[in-house]
Amino acid sequence: QVQLVESGGGLVQAGGSLRLSCAASGRSFSNYAMGWFRQAPGKEREFVAAINWSGGSTYYGDSVKGRFTISRENAKNTVYLQMNSLKPEDTAVYYCAQGIRSRAGRTQEDFASWGQGTQVSVSS
């Protein structure tokens, strides 16, 4: 089955930027939507962003709209999350996920495979 590996997390000052990457292997990457979720300690997993199979449609959680951008490069089986204007409230473990179909969804039920997560910490 598909394997997803996130990278690019780290510690950054408020107002800074990070770019997360998620490399996929195991099945046809371009046939499926991809998404990002995050989870902070003591909180439920939160939807961050999703992108359809071609990259033509994107969706964002309210808390990150205007600051984060999801993109994909199908030839490299990779999805990205560009995070700008980071805030301390963005601190969480970020997970990428592969969708169950080509159209993007915004709930955990819309995704089948998950990566191991990468830590993002934003200091003030």
Side-chain angles (χ1 to χ4, degrees):
Q1 294 214 79
V2 66
Q3 293 181 307
L4 305 173
V5 180
E6 303 96 333
S7 62
L11 176 63
V12 65
Q13 290 255 311
S17 298
L18 285 173
R19 187 182 71 163
L20 306 184
S21 299
C22 176
S25 63
R27 66 177 178 178
S28 181
F29 176 78
S30 62
N31 286 344
Y32 298 93
M34 296 292 295
W36 289 94
F37 290 76
R38 67 187 184 186
Q39 189 166 25
K43 291 190 173 182
E44 285 284 299
R45 190 167 296 182
E46 176 189 16
F47 171 74
V48 175
I51 188 167
N52 79 329
W53 71 278
S54 69
S57 298
T58 58
Y59 304 91
Y60 297 94
D62 289 342
S63 63
V64 306
K65 286 179 181 176
R67 299 188 298 120
F68 291 10
T69 303
I70 187 171
S71 62
R72 66 192 298 160
E73 191 169 355
N74 286 344
K76 298 180 69 174
N77 285 8
T78 302
V79 62
Y80 304 96
L81 185 69
Q82 178 67 46
M83 306 184 293
N84 298 327
S85 302
L86 283 162
K87 306 173 180 179
E89 66 192 59
D90 296 318
T91 296
V93 177
Y94 284 71
Y95 300 89
C96 69
Q98 187 175 63
I100 60 174
R101 45 173 158 75
S102 61
R103 294 186 177 185
R106 294 172 292 276
T107 72
Q108 292 182 245
E109 290 74 23
D110 294 315
F111 298 88
S113 300
W114 298 81
Q116 85 289 348
T118 186
Q119 177 71 48
V120 172
S121 298
V122 184
S123 64
S124 59

